[in-house]
Amino acid sequence: MDTLAILIPCYNEAQTIGKVIDDCQVAAKSVPGKTVIYVYDNNSTDDTKKIALDHGAVVRSEYQQGKGNVIRGMFREVNAQSYIMLDGDDTYPTEDIPGMVDLVINQKVDMVVGDRLSSTYFEENKRPFHNVGNRIVRWSINHFFNNEIRDIMTGYRAFSFNFVKTFPVLSTGFEIETEMSITAAVNHMHVKNYLITYRDRPEGSDSKLNTVSDGMKVLKTIASMFRNYHPQLFYSIVAALFVFVAAAFFIPSVWLPYLATGEVFNFPTLIVCGFLVLAAIISLYSGFILHSLVKQEKRNFEFHLQEVQFEYERLNN
């Protein structure tokens, strides 16, 4: 079992991957024990794999395209007391590795979030829509999931063994960081922010993130996980919308004319409004039932967490 596993997902990062590995090796000298640097190549068409091997990294391949697929393979295959994950584009400062690992090892933190947004990100990043998107995502998750993670989409994080082996990777693309943040929040895992500096990609190195399409995937992930983890509130809102629409048509078209004349003139409207109210009742009770299932799932997660802790102790003995 490694003391520290440095995980670097890569797709066409030949320009920067060598420097990132060298910088990680220098930073890891301050971390006691055995450190291994893993580069997971995701179908690169340049010399990423060759350069990574030449610089002393353990290189593995993930043939399913997408960052989420790469992280699924990493978390499944690598066993370590602590993990660092960072991108291969040389935008993150590797000198922060010892401090982030120390929080995992000595303070039992499950996930350390490399916080770019509180330092230099908005000055260094030259893509204004990325800046707006990061602010929207941060506000949405902190508001809907009641946490204080300052940088939701950062690719620079440290993890405990328990987090890595209990995190269910469902996303396939760049929305994976959003999923990590929400999963840690709803399962009450120990999360800390760690202030880091950020530098933009060097000239000639292109981002693989598509602002519009990947941004929509992130927002869709937030909405889906809000429904999954807070079903009672979600379906109560849906029920309230059904009732509001029903009332908006029923009162002026059916109820007020009935009060004035004693007759119902718009039976189709009355029938549709009745079905909307029935849909609201079904939605409300669906939320109650799913809320009970979510509580049971959280209890099962705690039992699974204990099993993973036993496995961690077994691997260390």
Side-chain angles (χ1 to χ4, degrees), residues 136-194:
I136 292 173
V137 170
R138 178 173 61 179
W139 179 88
S140 300
I141 291 180
N142 288 340
H143 182 74
F144 293 130
F145 296 94
N146 191 29
N147 67 82
E148 297 182 354
I149 298 177
R150 299 193 192 119
D151 191 348
I152 303 299
M153 299 181 66
T154 179
Y156 194 17
R157 299 172 188 246
F159 305 106
S160 68
F161 180 88
N162 286 354
F163 181 89
V164 166
K165 299 306 179 182
T166 58
F167 174 58
V169 181
L170 303 178
S171 301
T172 60
F174 284 102
E175 62 273 27
I176 185 67
E177 284 95 355
T178 302
E179 187 180 348
M180 286 178 179
S181 301
I182 294 174
T183 300
V186 299
N187 287 310
H188 308 294
M189 304 196 84
H190 191 185
V191 179
K192 277 203 171 186
N193 299 292
Y194 192 97

Short mmCIF file of all heavy atoms in Angstrom, two decimals, residues 136-194:
data_model
loop_
_atom_site.label_atom_id
_atom_site.label_comp_id
_atom_site.label_asym_id
_atom_site.label_seq_id
_atom_site.Cartn_x
_atom_site.Cartn_y
_atom_site.Cartn_z
N ILE A 136 -21.69 30.40 -10.49
CA ILE A 136 -23.05 29.84 -10.46
C ILE A 136 -23.06 28.48 -9.78
O ILE A 136 -23.90 28.19 -8.93
CB ILE A 136 -23.61 29.74 -11.89
CG1 ILE A 136 -23.84 31.14 -12.47
CG2 ILE A 136 -24.90 28.94 -11.91
CD1 ILE A 136 -24.24 31.15 -13.92
N VAL A 137 -22.10 27.62 -10.17
CA VAL A 137 -22.04 26.27 -9.61
C VAL A 137 -21.75 26.33 -8.11
O VAL A 137 -22.37 25.60 -7.32
CB VAL A 137 -20.98 25.44 -10.35
CG1 VAL A 137 -20.74 24.11 -9.64
CG2 VAL A 137 -21.43 25.18 -11.79
N ARG A 138 -20.82 27.17 -7.70
CA ARG A 138 -20.48 27.28 -6.28
C ARG A 138 -21.69 27.73 -5.47
O ARG A 138 -22.00 27.15 -4.42
CB ARG A 138 -19.31 28.25 -6.08
CG ARG A 138 -18.94 28.44 -4.62
CD ARG A 138 -17.68 29.27 -4.46
NE ARG A 138 -17.82 30.62 -5.02
CZ ARG A 138 -16.85 31.54 -4.99
NH1 ARG A 138 -15.69 31.25 -4.43
NH2 ARG A 138 -17.04 32.73 -5.52
N TRP A 139 -22.40 28.76 -5.96
CA TRP A 139 -23.58 29.24 -5.23
C TRP A 139 -24.64 28.16 -5.16
O TRP A 139 -25.26 27.94 -4.11
CB TRP A 139 -24.15 30.48 -5.91
CG TRP A 139 -25.37 30.99 -5.21
CD1 TRP A 139 -25.43 31.88 -4.18
CD2 TRP A 139 -26.74 30.61 -5.48
NE1 TRP A 139 -26.74 32.08 -3.79
CE2 TRP A 139 -27.56 31.31 -4.57
CE3 TRP A 139 -27.33 29.76 -6.41
CZ2 TRP A 139 -28.94 31.18 -4.57
CZ3 TRP A 139 -28.71 29.62 -6.40
CH2 TRP A 139 -29.50 30.33 -5.48
N SER A 140 -24.89 27.46 -6.28
CA SER A 140 -25.95 26.45 -6.33
C SER A 140 -25.71 25.34 -5.32
O SER A 140 -26.60 24.97 -4.55
CB SER A 140 -26.04 25.85 -7.74
OG SER A 140 -26.33 26.85 -8.69
N ILE A 141 -24.49 24.80 -5.31
CA ILE A 141 -24.22 23.66 -4.44
C ILE A 141 -24.18 24.07 -2.97
O ILE A 141 -24.74 23.39 -2.10
CB ILE A 141 -22.90 22.98 -4.86
CG1 ILE A 141 -23.11 22.31 -6.23
CG2 ILE A 141 -22.45 21.96 -3.82
CD1 ILE A 141 -21.90 21.61 -6.76
N ASN A 142 -23.56 25.20 -2.68
CA ASN A 142 -23.51 25.65 -1.29
C ASN A 142 -24.89 26.00 -0.76
O ASN A 142 -25.18 25.83 0.43
CB ASN A 142 -22.56 26.83 -1.15
CG ASN A 142 -21.11 26.43 -1.29
OD1 ASN A 142 -20.76 25.26 -1.15
ND2 ASN A 142 -20.24 27.37 -1.60
N HIS A 143 -25.76 26.48 -1.65
CA HIS A 143 -27.12 26.85 -1.23
C HIS A 143 -28.01 25.62 -1.08
O HIS A 143 -28.70 25.46 -0.08
CB HIS A 143 -27.72 27.82 -2.25
CG HIS A 143 -29.10 28.29 -1.89
ND1 HIS A 143 -29.33 29.22 -0.90
CD2 HIS A 143 -30.32 27.95 -2.39
CE1 HIS A 143 -30.63 29.44 -0.81
NE2 HIS A 143 -31.25 28.69 -1.70
N PHE A 144 -27.98 24.73 -2.06
CA PHE A 144 -28.90 23.59 -2.06
C PHE A 144 -28.44 22.45 -1.16
O PHE A 144 -29.26 21.65 -0.70
CB PHE A 144 -29.10 23.07 -3.48
CG PHE A 144 -29.84 24.02 -4.38
CD1 PHE A 144 -29.35 24.33 -5.63
CD2 PHE A 144 -31.02 24.60 -3.97
CE1 PHE A 144 -30.03 25.21 -6.46
CE2 PHE A 144 -31.71 25.49 -4.79
CZ PHE A 144 -31.22 25.79 -6.04
N PHE A 145 -27.12 22.35 -0.92
CA PHE A 145 -26.61 21.22 -0.15
C PHE A 145 -25.97 21.64 1.18
O PHE A 145 -25.33 20.83 1.84
CB PHE A 145 -25.62 20.41 -0.99
CG PHE A 145 -26.26 19.78 -2.20
CD1 PHE A 145 -26.24 20.41 -3.42
CD2 PHE A 145 -26.91 18.56 -2.10
CE1 PHE A 145 -26.84 19.84 -4.54
CE2 PHE A 145 -27.51 17.97 -3.19
CZ PHE A 145 -27.48 18.62 -4.42
N ASN A 146 -26.09 22.92 1.51
CA ASN A 146 -25.72 23.42 2.84
C ASN A 146 -24.29 23.06 3.21
O ASN A 146 -24.02 22.36 4.19
CB ASN A 146 -26.68 22.88 3.89
CG ASN A 146 -26.50 23.57 5.23
OD1 ASN A 146 -26.11 24.74 5.28
ND2 ASN A 146 -26.78 22.87 6.32
N ASN A 147 -23.33 23.53 2.40
CA ASN A 147 -21.92 23.34 2.73
C ASN A 147 -21.15 24.59 2.36
O ASN A 147 -21.72 25.56 1.83
CB ASN A 147 -21.36 22.10 2.02
CG ASN A 147 -21.29 22.28 0.52
OD1 ASN A 147 -20.37 22.88 -0.01
ND2 ASN A 147 -22.29 21.78 -0.20
N GLU A 148 -19.86 24.59 2.64
CA GLU A 148 -19.04 25.78 2.41
C GLU A 148 -17.81 25.46 1.56
O GLU A 148 -16.72 25.99 1.79
CB GLU A 148 -18.62 26.40 3.75
CG GLU A 148 -19.79 26.89 4.59
CD GLU A 148 -19.35 27.53 5.90
OE1 GLU A 148 -18.14 27.48 6.19
OE2 GLU A 148 -20.22 28.07 6.61
N ILE A 149 -17.96 24.59 0.60
CA ILE A 149 -16.87 24.31 -0.34
C ILE A 149 -16.68 25.52 -1.23
O ILE A 149 -17.63 25.95 -1.91
CB ILE A 149 -17.16 23.04 -1.16
CG1 ILE A 149 -17.28 21.83 -0.23
CG2 ILE A 149 -16.07 22.81 -2.20
CD1 ILE A 149 -17.65 20.54 -0.94
N ARG A 150 -15.48 26.05 -1.29
CA ARG A 150 -15.25 27.32 -1.97
C ARG A 150 -14.92 27.18 -3.45
O ARG A 150 -14.97 28.15 -4.19
CB ARG A 150 -14.14 28.10 -1.26
CG ARG A 150 -14.45 28.44 0.19
CD ARG A 150 -13.49 29.45 0.75
NE ARG A 150 -13.63 29.54 2.20
CZ ARG A 150 -12.66 29.27 3.07
NH1 ARG A 150 -11.48 28.87 2.62
NH2 ARG A 150 -12.87 29.38 4.35
N ASP A 151 -14.56 25.97 -3.86
CA ASP A 151 -14.22 25.76 -5.28
C ASP A 151 -14.75 24.39 -5.68
O ASP A 151 -14.11 23.36 -5.44
CB ASP A 151 -12.71 25.85 -5.49
CG ASP A 151 -12.33 25.90 -6.96
OD1 ASP A 151 -13.20 25.64 -7.81
OD2 ASP A 151 -11.16 26.21 -7.27
N ILE A 152 -15.91 24.37 -6.29
CA ILE A 152 -16.60 23.11 -6.58
C ILE A 152 -15.92 22.33 -7.69
O ILE A 152 -15.80 21.11 -7.64
CB ILE A 152 -18.07 23.38 -6.97
CG1 ILE A 152 -18.79 24.16 -5.85
CG2 ILE A 152 -18.79 22.08 -7.28
CD1 ILE A 152 -18.86 23.45 -4.54
N MET A 153 -15.42 23.01 -8.71
CA MET A 153 -14.95 22.34 -9.92
C MET A 153 -13.43 22.24 -10.02
O MET A 153 -12.90 21.95 -11.09
CB MET A 153 -15.52 23.04 -11.15
CG MET A 153 -17.05 23.02 -11.18
SD MET A 153 -17.75 23.82 -12.62
CE MET A 153 -17.19 22.71 -13.92
N THR A 154 -12.73 22.48 -8.93
CA THR A 154 -11.28 22.35 -8.97
C THR A 154 -10.87 20.91 -9.22
O THR A 154 -11.48 19.97 -8.71
CB THR A 154 -10.65 22.86 -7.66
OG1 THR A 154 -9.23 22.71 -7.73
CG2 THR A 154 -11.17 22.09 -6.46
N GLY A 155 -9.82 20.74 -10.01
CA GLY A 155 -9.29 19.41 -10.26
C GLY A 155 -8.15 19.03 -9.34
O GLY A 155 -7.52 17.98 -9.52
N TYR A 156 -7.87 19.88 -8.35
CA TYR A 156 -6.76 19.66 -7.41
C TYR A 156 -7.34 19.31 -6.05
O TYR A 156 -7.88 20.18 -5.35
CB TYR A 156 -5.92 20.92 -7.34
CG TYR A 156 -4.55 20.78 -6.70
CD1 TYR A 156 -3.95 19.55 -6.51
CD2 TYR A 156 -3.84 21.91 -6.31
CE1 TYR A 156 -2.70 19.44 -5.94
CE2 TYR A 156 -2.58 21.82 -5.75
CZ TYR A 156 -2.01 20.59 -5.56
OH TYR A 156 -0.75 20.48 -5.01
N ARG A 157 -7.24 18.05 -5.66
CA ARG A 157 -7.84 17.59 -4.42
C ARG A 157 -6.98 16.51 -3.78
O ARG A 157 -6.22 15.83 -4.46
CB ARG A 157 -9.24 17.00 -4.67
CG ARG A 157 -10.23 17.99 -5.26
CD ARG A 157 -11.53 17.33 -5.66
NE ARG A 157 -12.38 18.26 -6.37
CZ ARG A 157 -13.55 18.73 -5.95
NH1 ARG A 157 -14.03 18.34 -4.78
NH2 ARG A 157 -14.25 19.58 -6.67
N ALA A 158 -7.13 16.38 -2.46
CA ALA A 158 -6.53 15.27 -1.73
C ALA A 158 -7.66 14.45 -1.13
O ALA A 158 -8.70 15.00 -0.75
CB ALA A 158 -5.60 15.78 -0.63
N PHE A 159 -7.46 13.13 -1.06
CA PHE A 159 -8.51 12.23 -0.58
C PHE A 159 -7.95 11.25 0.44
O PHE A 159 -6.78 10.87 0.39
CB PHE A 159 -9.10 11.41 -1.72
CG PHE A 159 -9.61 12.21 -2.88
CD1 PHE A 159 -8.91 12.25 -4.08
CD2 PHE A 159 -10.80 12.93 -2.78
CE1 PHE A 159 -9.38 12.98 -5.15
CE2 PHE A 159 -11.26 13.66 -3.85
CZ PHE A 159 -10.55 13.68 -5.05
N SER A 160 -8.83 10.79 1.30
CA SER A 160 -8.52 9.67 2.19
C SER A 160 -8.85 8.37 1.48
O SER A 160 -9.59 8.33 0.48
CB SER A 160 -9.32 9.77 3.48
OG SER A 160 -10.71 9.57 3.22
N PHE A 161 -8.34 7.26 2.02
CA PHE A 161 -8.68 5.94 1.52
C PHE A 161 -10.19 5.71 1.60
O PHE A 161 -10.80 5.17 0.67
CB PHE A 161 -7.92 4.88 2.33
CG PHE A 161 -8.18 3.46 1.90
CD1 PHE A 161 -7.41 2.87 0.91
CD2 PHE A 161 -9.18 2.71 2.52
CE1 PHE A 161 -7.65 1.55 0.52
CE2 PHE A 161 -9.41 1.39 2.13
CZ PHE A 161 -8.64 0.81 1.14
N ASN A 162 -10.79 6.13 2.71
CA ASN A 162 -12.22 5.91 2.91
C ASN A 162 -13.05 6.61 1.84
O ASN A 162 -14.04 6.06 1.34
CB ASN A 162 -12.66 6.40 4.29
CG ASN A 162 -12.20 5.47 5.40
OD1 ASN A 162 -11.66 4.40 5.13
ND2 ASN A 162 -12.40 5.87 6.64
N PHE A 163 -12.67 7.84 1.49
CA PHE A 163 -13.44 8.55 0.46
C PHE A 163 -13.31 7.86 -0.89
O PHE A 163 -14.30 7.63 -1.60
CB PHE A 163 -12.98 10.00 0.34
CG PHE A 163 -13.76 10.77 -0.70
CD1 PHE A 163 -14.92 11.43 -0.36
CD2 PHE A 163 -13.34 10.82 -2.03
CE1 PHE A 163 -15.66 12.12 -1.31
CE2 PHE A 163 -14.07 11.50 -2.99
CZ PHE A 163 -15.24 12.15 -2.63
N VAL A 164 -12.09 7.51 -1.27
CA VAL A 164 -11.84 6.92 -2.58
C VAL A 164 -12.60 5.61 -2.74
O VAL A 164 -13.17 5.33 -3.81
CB VAL A 164 -10.33 6.72 -2.79
CG1 VAL A 164 -10.05 5.80 -3.98
CG2 VAL A 164 -9.65 8.06 -3.00
N LYS A 165 -12.63 4.80 -1.71
CA LYS A 165 -13.23 3.47 -1.83
C LYS A 165 -14.74 3.45 -1.57
O LYS A 165 -15.38 2.41 -1.73
CB LYS A 165 -12.54 2.49 -0.88
CG LYS A 165 -11.05 2.31 -1.18
CD LYS A 165 -10.78 1.91 -2.63
CE LYS A 165 -9.29 1.75 -2.91
NZ LYS A 165 -9.02 1.41 -4.33
N THR A 166 -15.32 4.59 -1.18
CA THR A 166 -16.77 4.63 -1.00
C THR A 166 -17.45 5.57 -1.98
O THR A 166 -18.68 5.63 -2.02
CB THR A 166 -17.15 5.09 0.44
OG1 THR A 166 -16.58 6.38 0.70
CG2 THR A 166 -16.65 4.08 1.47
N PHE A 167 -16.67 6.30 -2.78
CA PHE A 167 -17.26 7.27 -3.70
C PHE A 167 -17.81 6.55 -4.93
O PHE A 167 -17.06 5.93 -5.68
CB PHE A 167 -16.21 8.30 -4.11
CG PHE A 167 -16.69 9.26 -5.18
CD1 PHE A 167 -17.80 10.05 -4.98
CD2 PHE A 167 -16.01 9.36 -6.38
CE1 PHE A 167 -18.25 10.93 -5.95
CE2 PHE A 167 -16.44 10.24 -7.37
CZ PHE A 167 -17.56 11.02 -7.14
N PRO A 168 -19.12 6.63 -5.18
CA PRO A 168 -19.70 5.97 -6.36
C PRO A 168 -19.56 6.87 -7.59
O PRO A 168 -20.26 7.88 -7.70
CB PRO A 168 -21.16 5.78 -5.97
CG PRO A 168 -21.44 6.91 -5.03
CD PRO A 168 -20.14 7.24 -4.33
N VAL A 169 -18.69 6.55 -8.50
CA VAL A 169 -18.46 7.38 -9.68
C VAL A 169 -19.58 7.11 -10.68
O VAL A 169 -19.65 6.04 -11.29
CB VAL A 169 -17.09 7.08 -10.32
CG1 VAL A 169 -16.87 7.98 -11.52
CG2 VAL A 169 -15.97 7.28 -9.30
N LEU A 170 -20.46 8.08 -10.86
CA LEU A 170 -21.58 7.95 -11.79
C LEU A 170 -21.39 8.80 -13.03
O LEU A 170 -21.89 8.46 -14.10
CB LEU A 170 -22.89 8.34 -11.09
CG LEU A 170 -23.23 7.55 -9.82
CD1 LEU A 170 -24.53 8.07 -9.22
CD2 LEU A 170 -23.34 6.06 -10.12
N SER A 171 -20.68 9.91 -12.91
CA SER A 171 -20.46 10.79 -14.05
C SER A 171 -19.34 10.26 -14.93
O SER A 171 -18.44 9.55 -14.46
CB SER A 171 -20.09 12.20 -13.56
OG SER A 171 -21.11 12.74 -12.75
N THR A 172 -19.38 10.61 -16.20
CA THR A 172 -18.35 10.16 -17.14
C THR A 172 -17.44 11.27 -17.59
O THR A 172 -16.36 11.01 -18.12
CB THR A 172 -19.00 9.52 -18.38
OG1 THR A 172 -19.84 10.50 -19.03
CG2 THR A 172 -19.84 8.31 -18.00
N GLY A 173 -17.84 12.53 -17.39
CA GLY A 173 -17.06 13.65 -17.92
C GLY A 173 -16.60 14.61 -16.85
O GLY A 173 -16.34 14.24 -15.70
N PHE A 174 -16.52 15.90 -17.22
CA PHE A 174 -15.97 16.93 -16.34
C PHE A 174 -16.89 17.27 -15.16
O PHE A 174 -16.47 17.97 -14.25
CB PHE A 174 -15.67 18.20 -17.13
CG PHE A 174 -14.44 18.11 -17.98
CD1 PHE A 174 -14.52 17.90 -19.34
CD2 PHE A 174 -13.19 18.22 -17.41
CE1 PHE A 174 -13.38 17.81 -20.12
CE2 PHE A 174 -12.04 18.13 -18.17
CZ PHE A 174 -12.13 17.92 -19.54
N GLU A 175 -18.12 16.76 -15.18
CA GLU A 175 -19.01 17.01 -14.05
C GLU A 175 -18.63 16.17 -12.83
O GLU A 175 -19.27 16.27 -11.78
CB GLU A 175 -20.46 16.75 -14.44
CG GLU A 175 -20.79 15.33 -14.86
CD GLU A 175 -20.57 15.04 -16.33
OE1 GLU A 175 -19.72 15.70 -16.95
OE2 GLU A 175 -21.23 14.12 -16.85
N ILE A 176 -17.58 15.36 -12.95
CA ILE A 176 -17.17 14.47 -11.86
C ILE A 176 -16.79 15.25 -10.60
O ILE A 176 -17.09 14.82 -9.48
CB ILE A 176 -15.99 13.57 -12.31
CG1 ILE A 176 -15.62 12.55 -11.24
CG2 ILE A 176 -14.78 14.39 -12.72
CD1 ILE A 176 -16.67 11.53 -10.96
N GLU A 177 -16.14 16.42 -10.75
CA GLU A 177 -15.76 17.20 -9.56
C GLU A 177 -16.99 17.70 -8.81
O GLU A 177 -17.01 17.74 -7.58
CB GLU A 177 -14.87 18.38 -9.94
CG GLU A 177 -13.44 18.00 -10.26
CD GLU A 177 -13.21 17.80 -11.75
OE1 GLU A 177 -14.20 17.87 -12.50
OE2 GLU A 177 -12.04 17.58 -12.15
N THR A 178 -18.03 18.08 -9.56
CA THR A 178 -19.28 18.50 -8.93
C THR A 178 -19.89 17.35 -8.14
O THR A 178 -20.36 17.51 -7.01
CB THR A 178 -20.27 18.97 -10.01
OG1 THR A 178 -19.68 20.03 -10.76
CG2 THR A 178 -21.57 19.44 -9.39
N GLU A 179 -19.85 16.16 -8.72
CA GLU A 179 -20.39 14.97 -8.05
C GLU A 179 -19.62 14.66 -6.78
O GLU A 179 -20.22 14.32 -5.75
CB GLU A 179 -20.32 13.77 -9.01
CG GLU A 179 -21.00 12.53 -8.49
CD GLU A 179 -20.90 11.37 -9.48
OE1 GLU A 179 -20.51 11.59 -10.64
OE2 GLU A 179 -21.20 10.24 -9.08
N MET A 180 -18.28 14.80 -6.82
CA MET A 180 -17.48 14.59 -5.61
C MET A 180 -17.89 15.54 -4.50
O MET A 180 -18.06 15.13 -3.33
CB MET A 180 -16.00 14.83 -5.93
CG MET A 180 -15.32 13.77 -6.73
SD MET A 180 -13.61 14.26 -7.05
CE MET A 180 -13.03 12.83 -7.96
N SER A 181 -18.05 16.80 -4.84
CA SER A 181 -18.37 17.81 -3.83
C SER A 181 -19.72 17.54 -3.18
O SER A 181 -19.86 17.61 -1.96
CB SER A 181 -18.36 19.21 -4.47
OG SER A 181 -17.09 19.50 -5.04
N ILE A 182 -20.71 17.21 -4.00
CA ILE A 182 -22.05 16.97 -3.47
C ILE A 182 -22.08 15.69 -2.63
O ILE A 182 -22.67 15.65 -1.54
CB ILE A 182 -23.07 16.89 -4.62
CG1 ILE A 182 -23.18 18.25 -5.31
CG2 ILE A 182 -24.43 16.44 -4.09
CD1 ILE A 182 -24.07 18.23 -6.55
N THR A 183 -21.42 14.64 -3.11
CA THR A 183 -21.40 13.37 -2.38
C THR A 183 -20.77 13.54 -1.01
O THR A 183 -21.27 13.02 0.00
CB THR A 183 -20.64 12.31 -3.18
OG1 THR A 183 -21.27 12.11 -4.45
CG2 THR A 183 -20.60 10.98 -2.43
N ALA A 184 -19.66 14.28 -0.94
CA ALA A 184 -19.01 14.52 0.35
C ALA A 184 -19.92 15.31 1.28
O ALA A 184 -19.99 15.03 2.48
CB ALA A 184 -17.69 15.26 0.14
N ALA A 185 -20.65 16.28 0.73
CA ALA A 185 -21.51 17.13 1.55
C ALA A 185 -22.69 16.34 2.12
O ALA A 185 -22.97 16.40 3.32
CB ALA A 185 -22.02 18.31 0.74
N VAL A 186 -23.38 15.57 1.29
CA VAL A 186 -24.59 14.89 1.75
C VAL A 186 -24.27 13.72 2.68
O VAL A 186 -25.12 13.33 3.50
CB VAL A 186 -25.45 14.41 0.57
CG1 VAL A 186 -25.91 15.59 -0.26
CG2 VAL A 186 -24.72 13.40 -0.27
N ASN A 187 -23.06 13.18 2.59
CA ASN A 187 -22.68 12.07 3.46
C ASN A 187 -21.90 12.53 4.69
O ASN A 187 -21.35 11.71 5.42
CB ASN A 187 -21.85 11.04 2.68
CG ASN A 187 -22.69 10.24 1.72
OD1 ASN A 187 -23.72 9.70 2.10
ND2 ASN A 187 -22.27 10.16 0.47
N HIS A 188 -21.87 13.84 4.92
CA HIS A 188 -21.25 14.43 6.11
C HIS A 188 -19.79 14.00 6.27
O HIS A 188 -19.32 13.76 7.39
CB HIS A 188 -22.04 14.06 7.37
CG HIS A 188 -23.50 14.36 7.28
ND1 HIS A 188 -23.98 15.65 7.20
CD2 HIS A 188 -24.59 13.55 7.22
CE1 HIS A 188 -25.31 15.62 7.12
NE2 HIS A 188 -25.70 14.36 7.12
N MET A 189 -19.06 13.92 5.16
CA MET A 189 -17.65 13.59 5.23
C MET A 189 -16.86 14.84 5.57
O MET A 189 -17.31 15.98 5.34
CB MET A 189 -17.20 12.97 3.90
CG MET A 189 -18.01 11.75 3.50
SD MET A 189 -17.26 10.72 2.23
CE MET A 189 -16.19 9.69 3.22
N HIS A 190 -15.67 14.62 6.13
CA HIS A 190 -14.85 15.73 6.60
C HIS A 190 -14.16 16.39 5.41
O HIS A 190 -13.30 15.78 4.77
CB HIS A 190 -13.82 15.21 7.61
CG HIS A 190 -13.10 16.30 8.33
ND1 HIS A 190 -12.06 16.04 9.21
CD2 HIS A 190 -13.26 17.64 8.32
CE1 HIS A 190 -11.62 17.20 9.70
NE2 HIS A 190 -12.33 18.17 9.18
N VAL A 191 -14.56 17.61 5.12
CA VAL A 191 -14.03 18.34 3.96
C VAL A 191 -13.38 19.64 4.44
O VAL A 191 -13.93 20.33 5.31
CB VAL A 191 -15.15 18.67 2.95
CG1 VAL A 191 -14.60 19.44 1.76
CG2 VAL A 191 -15.83 17.39 2.48
N LYS A 192 -12.22 19.96 3.87
CA LYS A 192 -11.56 21.23 4.18
C LYS A 192 -11.13 21.91 2.89
O LYS A 192 -10.71 21.26 1.93
CB LYS A 192 -10.34 21.01 5.08
CG LYS A 192 -10.67 20.90 6.55
CD LYS A 192 -9.47 21.23 7.42
CE LYS A 192 -9.87 21.34 8.89
NZ LYS A 192 -8.76 21.79 9.73
N ASN A 193 -11.23 23.24 2.89
CA ASN A 193 -10.70 24.04 1.79
C ASN A 193 -9.23 24.34 2.04
O ASN A 193 -8.82 24.56 3.19
CB ASN A 193 -11.48 25.35 1.67
CG ASN A 193 -12.95 25.13 1.38
OD1 ASN A 193 -13.32 24.67 0.30
ND2 ASN A 193 -13.81 25.47 2.33
N TYR A 194 -8.47 24.35 0.96
CA TYR A 194 -7.03 24.64 1.07
C TYR A 194 -6.68 25.66 -0.01
O TYR A 194 -6.79 25.39 -1.20
CB TYR A 194 -6.22 23.35 0.87
CG TYR A 194 -4.75 23.47 1.24
CD1 TYR A 194 -4.28 23.06 2.48
CD2 TYR A 194 -3.82 24.00 0.34
CE1 TYR A 194 -2.94 23.15 2.82
CE2 TYR A 194 -2.49 24.11 0.67
CZ TYR A 194 -2.05 23.68 1.90
OH TYR A 194 -0.70 23.78 2.24
#
